[in-house]
Amino acid sequence: QVQLVESGGGLVQAGGSLRLSCAASGSTFKRNAMAWYRQAPGTQRELVAQISGVGIRNYADSVKGRFTISRDNAKNTVYLQMDSLKPEGTAVYYCAANSGASWAGPYTYWGQGTQVTVSS
């Protein structure tokens, strides 16, 4: 039902900014809760940010105040604006879609990921 393709990753110095994009396809995109996850080498995949079908946002404590998740339904795109990046932010970032408008359930649709590297 949903296909996701991430882009915008790259190399940035600590303190810099980067914006990730997730292009989505599917007739129910506007109603899906969306999320960004990341996985660094040797660590578990962790939730970074999510946005519900009605625009409510939630962030991991580690990125609160520095990252912003948003969506442009006209373009079927979800963004993650990352400011004040830290070396520990180095990871593969994944876009995910829920099957419903709430994030209460599991995320079932995933993109291939985009690499973000933050140098110190």
Side-chain angles (χ1 to χ4, degrees):
Q1 293 182 11
V2 178
Q3 298 179 30
L4 308 172
V5 180
E6 303 98 332
S7 63
L11 175 64
V12 64
Q13 291 187 328
S17 298
L18 206 61
R19 188 176 76 161
L20 306 183
S21 298
C22 174
S25 63
S27 60
T28 62
F29 170 78
K30 295 180 180 179
R31 297 184 178 183
N32 291 109
M34 303 292 294
W36 286 96
Y37 282 78
R38 67 186 179 188
Q39 186 168 25
T43 71
Q44 297 184 92
R45 182 179 61 189
E46 65 174 342
L47 176 65
V48 177
Q50 55 193 345
I51 183 168
S52 77
V54 295
I56 300 173
R57 300 168 182 175
N58 176 260
Y59 300 93
D61 288 341
S62 60
V63 307
K64 196 171 298 181
R66 299 186 297 113
F67 289 12
T68 303
I69 187 171
S70 62
R71 64 198 303 167
D72 185 340
N73 289 342
K75 296 181 178 180
N76 285 354
T77 302
V78 176
Y79 303 96
L80 184 67
Q81 177 66 43
M82 303 184 293
D83 297 320
S84 301
L85 282 162
K86 301 176 180 179
E88 50 264 44
T90 295
V92 177
Y93 284 71
Y94 299 92
C95 181
N98 205 287
S99 60
S102 170
W103 56 60
Y107 287 92
T108 56
Y109 306 97
W110 297 85
Q112 294 297 312
T114 185
Q115 176 70 46
V116 172
T117 302
V118 185
S119 62
S120 60

